[in-house]
Amino acid sequence: MTRDDVAAAGRRFAQNHANFLHRTPLWKLPGAALGLRCAEVWLKLEHLQVGGSFKARGMLNRLLANTIPASGVIVASGGNAGIATAAAAQALRVPCEVFVPTVSSPMKQAKLRELGAQVVVTGAVYAEALEACLARQKATGALMTHAYDQPEVVAGAGTLAQEIEEQGGRPDSVLVSVGGGGLIAGIAAWFRDDVRVVALEPELAPTLYKARQAGEPVDVAVSGIAADSLGAKRIGAIAWDVTQRHVKDSLLLPDAAIREAQLRLWKQMKLAVEPAAALGLAALQTGAYQPRADEKVCLVICGANLDPATLA
């Protein structure tokens, strides 16, 4: 996975269904506006993307890069990848089947059905839903979209970083939430070693952190506040390769800090986002990541598929 792969995805988007994806805003604030001792905080508002998350980029790239059979497309997802696949399938007018675990929120399941997807709820966690999805794909021959571990998916996600650079230049650092690792792999493939890319995970879903301790990807138990979005039990092979080369920092955050940051984004900035989108602010608020005084820090606000009542 390289910068050239990301650039190729960007060109594919420009040539095919250019109106499907949104060019999401980049909001630049002085660090002092958030009570932080750094020069600037950039918020990449990717929660405003089609389907409510960055996943639309990778799923559209996957569908455009392949021939789609009559049986359509199929995906296993905690919610956001499924929503993105369903939205892309709807735009391309092809059938879509989505397997979600029971941890997936009712709101996300309802959104999938609104997009015309056939929804199958099975398994307690993402890995179990994926197992059922793979068996179904063998039977139907549908095009499989993986939530985070396919080259087209990762390259598509990387166009988010390309867009940040086009909109505001290069930040000094970018803080990225990690589940299976598709987003951070795409971002790190684009920025390489020119920008400090920092991996953030909940303490209760430490796939990359535990892989680094073990020296290779390993299965981990996942739970907690962000499990529906960051619930992969093993870091993806592509993400493992890219982060080994281009990501030095891997940090863990407690659920309480993630929740506090999520509520602050809502109460102070009126950004209604899911817990996975709040890890960057949580890392800054807790001091888990301490930027330099002159640093420009970019936070990827990656998803907004939540039940609004949870912000009350």
Side-chain angles (χ1 to χ4, degrees):
M1 183 56 52
T2 67
R3 187 181 177 97
D4 289 341
D5 296 317
V6 177
R11 290 192 296 272
R12 184 175 287 122
F13 293 157
Q15 295 165 2
N16 300 278
H17 294 272
N19 295 327
F20 175 74
L21 292 174
H22 301 322
R23 189 174 176 86
T24 56
L26 182 67
W27 189 5
K28 293 186 177 183
L29 299 170
L34 292 172
L36 300 170
R37 295 180 179 178
C38 59
E40 291 182 351
V41 176
W42 299 4
L43 304 180
K44 180 57 172 169
L45 303 182
E46 191 66 8
H47 69 297
L48 300 177
Q49 187 54 265
V50 172
S53 83
F54 74 94
K55 295 282 190 180
R57 298 174 184 269
M59 298 310 162
L60 180 63
N61 194 42
R62 170 69 174 168
L63 268 59
L64 291 176
N66 292 273
T67 300
I68 302 174
S71 52
V73 298
I74 190 169
V75 62
S77 168
N80 285 347
I83 290 170
T85 301
Q90 185 182 63
L92 298 178
R93 299 182 180 179
V94 297
C96 179
E97 189 172 13
V98 183
F99 284 68
V100 299
T102 56
V103 72
S104 178
S105 73
M107 187 283 304
K108 290 183 178 180
Q109 294 178 35
K111 181 63 177 178
L112 286 167
R113 294 186 176 96
E114 288 176 12
L115 290 167
Q118 180 179 345
V119 181
V120 180
V121 182
T122 182
V125 295
Y126 166 75
E128 294 173 359
L130 175 60
E131 184 178 352
C133 179
L134 290 170
R136 174 68 171 166
Q137 190 276 333
K138 289 181 181 178
T140 66
L143 177 68
M144 181 85 177
T145 66
H146 193 284
Y148 53 84
D149 205 19
Q150 288 171 327
E152 305 98 323
V153 170
V154 173
T159 63
L160 185 154
Q162 181 184 34
E163 197 169 283
I164 290 171
E165 187 168 327
E166 291 171 353
Q167 291 172 311
R170 290 179 181 170
D172 297 304
S173 57
V174 57
L175 310 189
V176 187
S177 301
V178 176
L183 178 59
I184 196 168
I187 289 175
W190 178 261
F191 283 132
R192 296 175 293 194
D193 299 324
D194 299 324
V195 172
R196 184 177 186 179
V197 179
V198 180
L200 305 176
E201 297 176 282
E203 289 179 347
L204 299 178
T207 56
L208 178 58
Y209 190 88
K210 289 295 186 181
R212 289 193 161 185
Q213 285 186 328
E216 62 182 356
V218 292
D219 289 347
V220 300
V222 295
S223 61
I225 192 172
D228 66 335
S229 296
L230 306 179
K233 71 175 185 178
R234 176 187 286 251
I235 195 70
I238 298 172
W240 175 248
D241 174 63
V242 175
T243 56
Q244 284 291 93
R245 289 184 283 121
H246 298 303
V247 177
K248 176 183 177 182
D249 304 290
S250 177
L251 307 176
L252 298 181
L253 297 162
D255 273 9
I258 297 168
R259 176 63 172 168
E260 183 180 345
Q262 181 195 22
L263 292 177
R264 185 177 182 188
L265 286 167
W266 168 241
K267 293 177 180 179
Q268 183 175 335
M269 309 180 78
K270 298 307 175 191
L271 298 177
V273 300
E274 57 195 86
L279 269 71
L281 181 58
L284 293 174
Q285 287 185 160
T286 60
Y289 181 74
Q290 298 185 8
R292 305 184 312 272
D294 63 345
E295 191 165 332
K296 298 175 182 177
V297 185
C298 183
L299 312 184
V300 179
I301 310 301
C302 54
N305 290 312
L306 78 163
D307 179 352
T310 62
L311 296 177

